Amino acid sequence: EVQLVESGGGLIQSGGSLRLPCATSGFIVSSNHMSWVRQAPGKGLEWVSVIYSGGSTYYADSVKGRFTISRDNSKNTLYLQMDSLRAEDTAVYYCARSGNGPGYFDYWGQGTLVTVSS
Amino acid sequence: DIQMTQSPSSVSASVGDRVTITCRASQGISSWLAWYQQKPGKAPKLLIYDASSLQSGVPSRFSGSRSGTDFTLTISSLQPEDFATYYCQQANSFPPWTFGQGTKVEIK
């Protein structure tokens, strides 16, 4: 069974850093394209970053230069390192696996809430 | 970046009604479009990909179509479990990938 479980969220001051792990099971992270998608409270969905199976990474302009996506193949875990956090980064962060195409997300985690206080 | 304009922002409907949600892309995306359903406090769920392909396990009352840069999600006969927020998303060849603003389907 495919499972994705995010953790690491919490309350952090503006300018601080946080790393979100996404532990996975039921599939091999390094063989799949993996993304982070976020949702600010009461708002819509925003794609944040992707790491392709080949290792290439892409970011939304809103986080470029501040966030870093990575994976640990030995732990089958995806990460999002978030630096220089801003109040507008406050959101539930979901990790998601691509399926049926690089940009479609067929499995999602339950999400972890990051609150950035100003 | 490609913008996705979704309408309406909300719709009130009754069980058994036919519901249609539309999404317009700001430029051509071929059929690289998905639809998701999200219930409060839950992660989104993939319903449709490639504009009209039904994701495994999704009921056949959900369908999608494309006309140029206009896309439509149709629920043929609304069921109680379908009350949720629906998002379109363009999945063009390279990121960034963008979502529509969402459509909340409410009980009439």
Side-chain angles (χ1 to χ4, degrees), chain A residues 35 37 39 43-47 50 52 58 60-61 94 99-106 108-110, chain B residues 1 31-34 36 38 42-44 46 49-51 55 87 89 91 93-97 99 101:
Chain A
S35 283
V37 177
Q39 186 169 35
K43 303 297 184 183
L45 300 166
E46 180 188 16
W47 172 82
V50 62
Y52 283 106
Y58 293 89
D61 286 346
Y94 297 100
N100 298 315
Y104 302 132
F105 311 121
D106 63 348
W108 298 65
Q110 85 288 352
Chain B
D1 295 356
S31 292
W32 294 106
L33 185 107
Y36 298 86
Q38 187 180 33
K42 300 294 186 181
L46 178 64
Y49 63 96
D50 287 349
Q55 174 70 356
Y87 294 92
Q89 178 231 337
S93 51
F94 286 102
W97 298 309
F99 292 86
Q101 306 95 314

Side-chain angles (χ1 to χ4, degrees), chain B residues 18-99:
Chain B
R18 182 182 184 90
V19 172
T20 299
I21 299 167
T22 62
C23 200
R24 174 170 290 174
S26 62
Q27 64 189 73
I29 58 169
S30 186
S31 292
W32 294 106
L33 185 107
W35 290 97
Y36 298 86
Q37 175 193 68
Q38 187 180 33
K39 297 182 178 179
K42 300 294 186 181
K45 173 187 175 182
L46 178 64
L47 300 176
I48 301 280
Y49 63 96
D50 287 349
S52 60
S53 296
L54 197 66
Q55 174 70 356
S56 176
V58 173
S60 58
R61 62 181 180 272
F62 291 93
S63 64
S65 63
R66 171 201 170 196
S67 177
T69 57
D70 292 337
F71 299 86
T72 300
L73 173 70
T74 299
I75 310 172
S76 60
S77 178
L78 199 65
Q79 297 301 300
E81 60 268 29
D82 300 337
F83 292 96
T85 299
Y86 294 83
Y87 294 92
C88 64
Q89 178 231 337
Q90 64 83 10
N92 204 28
S93 51
F94 286 102
W97 298 309
T98 46
F99 292 86

Side-chain angles (χ1 to χ4, degrees), chain A residues 3-5 22-29 34 75-78 95:
Chain A
Q3 287 192 322
L4 299 86
V5 179
C22 170
T24 74
S25 59
F27 69 101
I28 300 172
V29 160
M34 299 293 299
K75 295 182 178 179
N76 218 34
T77 297
L78 177 74
C95 60

Side-chain angles (χ1 to χ4, degrees), chain A residues 27-116:
Chain A
F27 69 101
I28 300 172
V29 160
S30 60
S31 298
N32 288 267
H33 310 320
M34 299 293 299
S35 283
W36 288 94
V37 177
R38 69 184 180 183
Q39 186 169 35
K43 303 297 184 183
L45 300 166
E46 180 188 16
W47 172 82
V48 171
S49 180
V50 62
I51 181 166
Y52 283 106
S53 57
S56 299
T57 59
Y58 293 89
Y59 300 90
D61 286 346
S62 57
V63 306
K64 201 172 295 181
R66 301 187 299 122
F67 288 14
T68 304
I69 191 171
S70 64
R71 66 190 181 208
D72 184 329
N73 297 343
S74 66
K75 295 182 178 179
N76 218 34
T77 297
L78 177 74
Y79 297 95
L80 185 67
Q81 176 68 41
M82 304 186 296
D83 298 321
S84 303
L85 282 162
R86 307 166 179 167
E88 55 265 35
D89 295 320
T90 294
V92 173
Y93 284 76
Y94 297 100
C95 60
R97 189 189 81 166
S98 289
N100 298 315
Y104 302 132
F105 311 121
D106 63 348
Y107 284 94
W108 298 65
Q110 85 288 352
T112 187
L113 176 62
V114 173
T115 303
V116 184

